[in-house]
């Protein structure tokens, strides 16, 4: 018998079908070619049960939804204090691709904007593998399947990545980048180019909801303290200069991605993921935000 939760998620997709505002990102050529009508929703409970509807098996790039997980790895590698000295936790109030440096310390405002994410990527330890391979291995552990990089997309973004390169060189000039600028940007862009589905993302989000323990494998992928830090920064910075609107209307820690995904986490309960490529003015999925608002209202996700 089909779960009534799947019927409910179908209804969420149906009831937001009229939302066709915005357009796929066009500053990354490969993203501009995305089918704007694709849509998917998934949720995963902290006991590991996944419910997914729509284009649930469609792969798209994780983009900025990768940033919370790279941040977790950097904290696990160096400890929170070390990372905090190098990347702040304050919302920037600006778009994700603004430089946004703390005027007193020169460090990037937070790890969710590009400047902070590039600096964070450069902090992730390279063992015998490049940092991006460790990040990819973490994605695979979280998703319970091999997650791979869309090499064509990565090449597409690298070819048009001047803004991120400029940010990286400015960080490096102020001794706020723990790596060589072009290598750090290449690793960061490859991190963003990992292909995921909403099923994968719901499992990733449910691991955060589950205190850092992957709900099906039982593997602790990050500490409870690291998870608390990541969720706190997602709550205040994850939706960029729409963070205030988001937290008042949806009310859960979240992170968006420029390919049209959003993940949300209700700690101790559930991880949620939505996908629709058309973006609003903040670089967040317009229909994705609407679907999350409905989910929050109907399922009582709001933390307040
Ligand atoms: O660096 C960039 O601009 C992209 N790889 C990621 C930006 C992004 O996902 C913004 N979030 N909505």
């Amino acid at each position: 018998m089909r779960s009534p939760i799947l019927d409910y998620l179908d209804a969420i997709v149906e009831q937001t079908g009229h939302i066709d505002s915005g357009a796929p990102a066009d500053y990354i050529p490969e993203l501009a070619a995305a089918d704007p009508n694709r849509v998917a929703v998934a949720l995963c409970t902290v006991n590991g049960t996944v419910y997914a509807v729509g284009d649930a098996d469609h792969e798209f790039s994780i983009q900025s939804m990768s940033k919370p997980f790279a941040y977790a790895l950097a904290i696990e590698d160096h400890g929170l204090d070390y990372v905090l000295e190098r990347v702040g936790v304050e919302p920037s109030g600006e778009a994700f691709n603004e430089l946004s440096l703390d005027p007193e310390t020169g460090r990037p405002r937070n790890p969710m904007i590009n400047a902070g994410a590039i600096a964070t990527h450069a902090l992730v330890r390279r063992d015998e593998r490049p940092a991006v391979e460790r990040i990819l291995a973490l994605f695979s552990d979280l998703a319970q399947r091999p997650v791979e990089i869309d090499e064509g997309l990565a090449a597409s973004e690298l070819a048009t990545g001047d803004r991120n390169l400029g940010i990286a060189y400015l960080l490096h000039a102020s001794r706020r980048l723990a790596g060589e600028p072009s290598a750090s940007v290449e690793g960061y862009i490859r991190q963003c180019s990992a292909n995921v589905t909403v099923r994968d993302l719901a499992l990733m989000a449910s691991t955060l909801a589950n205190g850092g323990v992957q709900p099906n494998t039982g593997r602790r992928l990050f500490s409870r303290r690291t998870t608390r830090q990541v969720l706190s920064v997602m709550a205040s910075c994850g939706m960029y200069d729409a963070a205030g609107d988001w937290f008042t209307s949806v009310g859960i820690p979240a992170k968006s991605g420029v390919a049209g995904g959003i993940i949300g986490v209700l700690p101790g309960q559930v991880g949620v993921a939505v996908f629709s490529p058309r973006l609003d003015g903040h670089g967040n999925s317009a229909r994705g935000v609407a679907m999350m608002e409905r989910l929050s209202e109907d399922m009582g996700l709001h933390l307040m």
Side-chain angles (χ1 to χ4, degrees):
M1 180 186 166
R2 192 172 195 254
S3 162
I5 295 177
L6 293 175
D7 294 338
Y8 166 68
L9 294 179
D10 277 336
I12 294 289
V13 169
E14 177 70 27
Q15 291 160 13
T16 58
H18 65 287
I19 298 175
D20 59 3
S21 57
D26 59 8
Y27 73 99
I28 302 173
E30 284 252 331
L31 292 186
D35 176 353
N37 297 311
R38 282 201 181 273
V39 61
V41 192
L43 61 86
C44 181
T45 61
V46 290
N47 67 12
T49 306
V50 178
Y51 303 89
V53 298
D55 296 311
D57 296 316
H58 170 68
E59 290 192 346
F60 56 97
S61 53
I62 195 171
Q63 297 297 340
S64 286
M65 294 181 288
S66 65
K67 295 171 176 176
F69 302 101
Y71 185 48
L73 259 187
I75 295 169
E76 294 286 297
D77 282 349
H78 301 284
L80 180 55
D81 291 345
Y82 181 94
V83 176
L84 284 176
E85 286 170 12
R86 290 155 177 82
V87 182
V89 291
E90 293 302 328
S92 69
E94 296 180 296
F96 65 84
N97 57 0
E98 291 299 330
L99 183 57
S100 291
L101 302 181
D102 181 307
E104 285 179 26
T105 65
R107 65 185 175 174
R109 292 265 190 193
N110 68 70
M112 300 294 123
I113 56 174
N114 287 6
I118 292 166
T120 299
H121 178 91
L123 291 174
V124 173
R125 280 198 202 288
R126 307 147 191 75
D127 45 29
E128 62 281 355
R129 302 167 292 175
V132 68
E133 296 304 322
R134 289 189 61 218
I135 295 167
L136 215 54
L138 173 60
F139 292 161
S140 301
D141 288 341
L142 288 160
Q144 294 176 260
R145 72 174 185 96
V147 171
E148 297 175 349
I149 292 171
D150 182 329
E151 296 295 351
L153 172 68
S156 166
E157 184 167 359
L158 278 167
T160 58
D162 289 351
R163 191 175 182 91
N164 281 331
L165 274 173
I167 287 171
Y169 274 99
L170 285 170
L171 288 172
H172 194 255
S174 57
R175 305 172 67 80
R176 288 291 171 188
L177 187 68
E180 193 277 331
S182 58
S184 300
V185 168
E186 180 177 353
Y188 158 75
I189 285 177
R190 288 174 61 76
Q191 161 192 313
C192 288
S193 301
N195 269 340
V196 291
T197 66
V198 289
R199 291 177 193 281
D200 299 333
L201 291 168
L203 280 163
M204 292 175 167
S206 74
T207 301
L208 292 171
N210 199 34
V213 176
Q214 211 282 354
N216 286 318
T217 65
R219 278 189 67 188
R220 174 167 288 287
L221 296 174
F222 7 91
S223 74
R224 185 169 288 280
R225 180 64 184 86
T226 295
T227 306
R228 188 183 90 180
Q229 178 71 14
V230 170
L231 288 174
S232 303
V233 176
M234 287 170 69
S236 57
C237 307
M239 300 300 279
Y240 308 121
D241 47 342
D245 282 344
W246 171 271
F247 208 78
T248 49
S249 61
V250 182
I252 56 174
K255 184 70 206 82
S256 58
V258 82
I262 302 174
I263 54 171
V265 178
L266 182 58
Q269 302 284 332
V270 69
V272 192
V274 295
F275 170 65
S276 172
R278 292 190 180 94
L279 305 180
D280 64 20
H282 303 291
N284 302 322
S285 170
R287 187 174 180 183
V289 169
M291 289 191 281
M292 283 286 201
E293 286 173 342
R294 284 298 314 275
L295 286 161
S296 178
E297 193 63 35
D298 296 346
M299 297 179 66
L301 302 181
H302 204 296
L303 279 168
M304 303 310 165

